[in-house]
Amino acid sequence: MTSTVPASLTRTTEGSALQAVLLDMDGTLVDTEGFWWDVEVEVFADLGHRLEETWRDVVVGGPMTRSAGYLIDATGADIAIEELTVLLNDRFEKRIGRGVPLMPGAARLLGELAAHKVPTALVSASHRRIIDRVLESLGRHHFALTVAGDEVTRTKPHPEPYLAAAAGFGADPRRCAVVEDTATGVAAAEAAGCRVVAVPSVAPIAPAPGRVVVPSLEHVDLAFLRGLVTAEG
């Protein structure tokens, strides 16, 4: 976890019940979920295996070890998880080197949160090396804190990443709004006690208590996030 949190960011902003906004990365802020699948297909093709399209919904949004383990078991590929993880990260890093497209509404939302000095964290199951590359497109200055999947003991769907982010701000998780695009990420945020906005990218996500589902980030702004925490808090 990396942090540049000044003391002032631990205070509630502008009298709002909202203390912090915690954002997922792949599929939420950047349109890279498809990149991951393409990379997985390419790597397994090199290993002599064809991935079934139906497996995509299983591995989307999951930690690298879980996704890699599932695909090894499904294909019977003769490769260790550790070796496969390196291959996937290497290929993905090369892929995003050609540019990372932002999701519709992402730049506007990040700009609005920064303008109002809302404590904002990036919380991803991706490894630090990948996050640091993507931040070149997202703008590192938008995030006072970032949490990578290889920097926590247990990554999503375990709540640890979101609990770590909230603790980094000195915030109550129940007064943090999370934006996620997968069921895995939503499960992690809800287990941490956060209020969740789901913006499904690949697989559908159903509404539930404490969770709002919207079609894109273009429907999410600071007033929306503050209202979510006030309504549920």
Side-chain angles (χ1 to χ4, degrees), residues 46-66:
D46 291 345
L47 296 172
H49 298 275
R50 179 179 178 275
L51 300 189
E52 299 291 338
E53 187 68 26
T54 54
W55 298 341
R56 183 176 182 178
D57 289 353
V58 179
V59 300
V60 66
M64 177 72 74
T65 52
R66 190 196 73 181

Side-chain angles (χ1 to χ4, degrees), residues 1-5 22-23 25 120-124 126 128 131-132 135 138-149 151-152 161 164-165 168-169:
M1 181 170 71
T2 63
S3 175
T4 56
V5 186
L22 316 178
L23 302 162
M25 187 177 77
T120 303
L122 187 68
V123 183
S124 176
S126 290
R128 169 57 55 190
I131 288 179
D132 285 344
L135 283 172
L138 277 176
R140 192 179 301 272
H141 62 283
H142 286 123
F143 306 98
L145 186 152
T146 61
V147 179
E151 295 173 339
V152 292
F169 286 132

Side-chain angles (χ1 to χ4, degrees), residues 166-227:
F169 286 132
D172 181 344
R174 295 169 299 178
R175 295 176 66 182
C176 294
V178 169
V179 185
E180 273 280 0
D181 73 303
T182 67
T184 298
V186 167
E190 290 180 345
C194 304
R195 308 308 175 189
V196 179
V197 181
V199 189
S201 62
V202 176
I205 298 173
R211 178 198 313 166
V212 177
V213 181
V214 298
S216 82
L217 285 181
E218 294 179 320
H219 294 260
V220 180
D221 58 16
L222 180 54
F224 181 96
L225 297 173
R226 283 176 170 163

Side-chain angles (χ1 to χ4, degrees), residues 9 20 24-25 35 39 46 59 69 71 130 134 138-139 158 173 180 194 204 211 230-231:
L9 287 187
D24 175 54
M25 187 177 77
F35 286 14
V39 163
D46 291 345
V59 300
L71 293 174
I130 301 300
V134 174
L138 277 176
H158 194 275
E180 273 280 0
C194 304
R211 178 198 313 166
T230 299

Side-chain angles (χ1 to χ4, degrees), residues 84-182:
L84 178 58
T85 296
V86 172
L87 291 177
L88 291 172
N89 274 324
D90 285 349
R91 188 74 63 92
F92 187 78
E93 190 169 5
K94 181 178 179 181
R95 183 70 174 269
I96 62 177
R98 301 197 292 266
V100 180
L102 271 59
M103 297 296 285
R108 173 200 48 78
L109 177 59
L110 290 173
E112 183 180 14
L113 295 175
H116 289 82
K117 296 181 172 58
V118 177
T120 303
L122 187 68
V123 183
S124 176
S126 290
H127 289 188
R128 169 57 55 190
R129 60 183 286 197
I130 301 300
I131 288 179
D132 285 344
R133 288 299 301 273
V134 174
L135 283 172
E136 295 172 11
S137 296
L138 277 176
R140 192 179 301 272
H141 62 283
H142 286 123
F143 306 98
L145 186 152
T146 61
V147 179
D150 57 340
E151 295 173 339
V152 292
T153 304
R154 292 164 293 187
T155 189
K156 304 174 187 179
H158 194 275
E160 182 181 346
Y162 283 111
L163 291 173
F169 286 132
D172 181 344
R174 295 169 299 178
R175 295 176 66 182
C176 294
V178 169
V179 185
E180 273 280 0
D181 73 303
T182 67

